[in-house]
Amino acid sequence: MSLLEARELNVWFDLEGGGTLHAVQGVSFALEEGERLGLVGESGCGKTTTALALLGLLPSSAEVAGEVRFHGEDVLAGGEESVRPHRWTDVAMVFQGAMNSFNPVRTVESQIVEALELHAVAEGAVARARAGKLLESVGIPADRARRFPHEFSGGMRQRAAIAMALACEPSVLVADEPTTALDVMVQAQILELLDGLCRDFGLALVLVTHDLPVVAQLCDRAAVMYAGEIVEEGPVERLYHSPRHPYTRLLFAATPDLADDGAPVASIPGAPPRLDRPLVGCPFRPRCDRAFGRCAEERPLLRRVDGSRAACHLNDVPA
Ligand code: SF4
């Protein structure tokens, strides 16, 4: 039994003017104890929506189908009542932009203490001492705890957001673009911090990012998302050295840090498809440099190929 599992997760929004936006379609993956999975892809491909769905944090306008299982229990089955006991205590989230995690008119300490008290982890002086320890564990001196979020630098705020997410000792941390908007030096420090925390506390990690080098640095496996679906999933090494979906190959080729010395950095022409319109055939076809006849008519399914899973008709064609 996996630690955390998404099974055929679908998220859609009914649009005001009519029609439906299919943000996440049939997403399935499993995460084992201490494992690190990167959810990668361009903006608007469904990564953040998937991450929010794992914790039941989508807005009420979202329709959700499928299962999210924690230790085998379907935590979405009973709506908010069934997901609440697991949120923060079993699965916690670091949101995009650390300022979004904090109330700007309250001290950082009071907000961590509130999380501890709300989940009956500790209260009063014990909770305050624990808040200080949590901040120290992410490299913030405890005597800064009584400062307001705006008195922290961007990197410190992100560290404090991570400390707050760890308050109830979850076994899974979902981090949504945790290094976006930080300068490169601070980015490296935050990644190092996440790496150390995962190792020290045996945390499993779901890392949402558009940044492949970050995934390569931090994750064991990656799930590449396109147009709301997982189009390839497997060990990071395998995806890098032998991708089985053209989008994965082009994403790596479009990443300067990972390109071979002297090799030109490619860009992927075009843009992802609109998700409020029916898609016929392969969603990646208009941008794919390997498309052939069948791609226009038949939607490729995610199938096992060697040690990964990929949704591309090329994998059915004998080499
Ligand atoms: Fe390209 Fe066809 Fe594979 Fe889609 S199914 S990624 S269009 S080759």
Side-chain angles (χ1 to χ4, degrees):
M1 186 190 304
S2 297
L3 175 63
L4 181 72
E5 204 180 340
R7 285 191 191 170
E8 283 298 313
L9 196 57
N10 287 273
V11 181
W12 67 97
F13 297 85
D14 291 328
L15 301 173
E16 266 183 24
T20 304
L21 188 140
H22 297 276
V24 173
Q25 301 175 49
V27 163
S28 298
F29 61 81
L31 189 73
E32 309 303 331
E33 306 264 354
E35 195 177 30
R36 305 173 190 187
L37 173 75
L39 275 186
V40 281
E42 290 164 281
S43 298
C45 67
K47 310 182 296 288
T48 295
T49 308
T50 301
L52 292 170
L54 294 176
L55 286 94
L57 284 172
L58 287 165
S60 57
S61 55
E63 302 284 347
V64 182
E67 297 174 1
V68 172
R69 291 186 171 267
F70 184 79
H71 279 310
E73 179 190 345
D74 183 359
V75 299
L76 296 186
E80 177 60 19
E81 287 302 307
S82 67
V83 75
R84 195 185 301 125
H86 297 280
R87 192 186 295 140
W88 307 123
T89 50
D90 294 322
V91 185
M93 186 156 183
V94 178
F95 295 97
Q96 211 175 105
M99 207 58 189
N100 298 335
S101 305
F102 291 103
N103 181 335
V105 298
R106 294 182 49 198
T107 65
V108 169
E109 180 191 69
S110 73
Q111 297 182 60
I112 298 179
V113 165
E114 184 183 42
L116 291 165
E117 292 184 338
L118 215 64
H119 294 277
V121 176
E123 56 183 352
V126 177
R128 285 194 294 279
R130 187 162 158 71
K133 288 250 176 309
L134 279 163
L135 288 170
E136 278 174 349
S137 73
V138 298
I140 299 175
D143 61 5
R144 309 264 180 101
R146 294 198 182 161
R147 296 198 179 175
F148 291 92
H150 71 268
E151 295 181 281
F152 282 16
S153 67
M156 276 174 75
R157 269 201 300 273
Q158 192 60 286
R159 285 169 183 274
I162 293 170
M164 190 152 79
L166 297 179
C168 302
E169 299 183 349
S171 39
V172 183
L173 188 64
V174 179
D176 187 6
E177 301 278 8
T179 57
T180 301
L182 299 175
D183 69 53
V184 260
M185 294 303 290
V186 181
Q187 274 185 21
Q189 291 165 8
I190 296 293
L191 293 178
E192 206 175 305
L193 172 69
L194 281 173
D195 188 33
L197 290 171
C198 287
R199 240 189 355 256
D200 296 347
F201 298 116
L203 270 176
L205 179 71
V206 177
L207 179 70
V208 175
T209 181
H210 61 276
D211 199 335
L212 277 167
V214 167
V215 171
Q217 185 182 336
L218 216 58
C219 297
D220 309 304
R221 289 191 300 126
V224 179
M225 291 193 70
Y226 188 78
E229 301 178 349
I230 291 179
V231 295
E232 184 160 9
E233 188 267 334
V236 173
E237 282 275 306
R238 183 175 285 272
L239 264 54
Y240 178 46
H241 291 293
S242 51
R244 303 306 297 252
H245 194 286
Y247 182 55
T248 311
R249 173 175 49 80
L250 292 170
L251 270 184
F252 275 114
T255 305
D257 311 49
L258 295 177
D260 290 339
D261 284 349
V265 177
S267 63
I268 307 176
R274 289 180 58 160
L275 299 179
D276 58 348
R277 295 184 179 165
L279 295 171
V280 180
C282 173
F284 190 57
R285 186 182 61 85
R287 307 171 76 188
C288 182
D289 56 3
R290 300 283 308 276
F292 59 107
R294 186 178 165 197
C295 309
E297 292 149 19
E298 197 184 321
R299 188 99 170 218
L301 300 174
L302 194 63
R303 293 182 209 276
R304 214 153 264 297
V305 199
D306 302 329
S308 4
R309 296 184 298 158
C312 173
H313 294 314
L314 285 173
N315 295 310
D316 300 340
V317 178

